[in-house]
Amino acid sequence: MGRMTSRRRVLRVHDGTHTARPDTLTVEEPLEIRVAGKALSITMRTPGDDFDLAAGFLVGEGVVRAAADIHSIRYCAGATADGGNTYNVLDVVLAPGVAPPDASVERNFYTTSSCGLCGKASLDAVRTTVTWPIGDDPFGTDVGTLSRLPDELRAAQRVFDRTGGLHAAGLFDADGKLLCLREDVGRHNAVDKVVGWATRDGRLPLAGTALMVSGRASFELVQKAAMAGIPLLAAVSAPSSLAVDLAAELGLTLVGFLRGSSMNVYTRPDRLGLQPS
């Protein structure tokens, strides 16, 4: 159902010499997500865990809140002119009584692997109602445990070792135990895959957990974490101003520039046993 890597010829230049050799690349292909046969979004993603991706996407948009809200997910047959299946189109059937997505969820343009919000009808539509308030979540960990997460995340990235071209999202408990890791060419897709795994496994809300992501922390990643009930989001790079504002508004602990024992804690440092000076 689609490969995560592909081989291409490359001309390797090093110290004035060049050699032709094969190179392993991360696959990037479109995935069209439909609900009850109606196109909802097209995202550029790395094939793999597509059902989790769709489920997590719908959680982040407030369409579903539990595994019971989803009747079925299937790839659409006949996706090509000759009747073949590209495994790049899937359809989600919601359970009876579950309201279909609001029109504001629909993307006017496709979602790129680097930006999950392209084409949103309005910024107001982004501020999806959070199902599980996370401000009162008693989750707590320590700086030492948090500082180990980037290495744990990196060590678990199987495909990154072969391509160097994938983002990762990892879900951890308060003791730093890795519960789930997903890789994708897009940061938001990797998070959707983690949230979708938890949804289909009946684990929502994800109280008492921390989400670690490669790259930066965007507004949308804060929203996705909050919609899944995750009280702490950590990133190896910088957050945006809007991400910090939303985290403060929701009571989510947001950590950026997490690299070894160094980190910036932007909101709710009390969950790390810290107090503002």
Side-chain angles (χ1 to χ4, degrees), residues 25 42 44 74 91 127 156 167 187 203-204 214 230 232 234 247 260 277:
L25 304 177
I42 298 176
M44 299 301 295
R74 66 178 181 85
D91 190 39
R127 293 182 177 274
H167 283 289
R187 291 187 312 274
R203 294 172 178 255
L204 295 188
S214 60
I230 299 171
L232 187 149
S277 59

Side-chain angles (χ1 to χ4, degrees), residues 1 26 36-38 52 61 65 81 85 108-109 123 125 127 164 170 203 216 221 226 228 250 268 272 275:
M1 288 181 289
T26 300
K38 181 180 180 181
D52 289 344
E61 299 295 344
R65 295 170 175 81
N85 198 329
N108 296 322
F109 306 100
L123 184 58
R127 293 182 177 274
R203 294 172 178 255
R216 62 186 179 85
L221 295 193
L250 298 177
R268 292 296 303 269
L272 300 177
Q275 295 297 329

Side-chain angles (χ1 to χ4, degrees), residues 178-196:
L178 179 63
L179 304 176
C180 176
L181 178 135
R182 293 290 185 265
E183 294 179 280
D184 199 277
V185 72
R187 291 187 312 274
H188 66 282
N189 287 338
V191 171
D192 278 342
K193 289 178 178 181
V194 169
V195 172

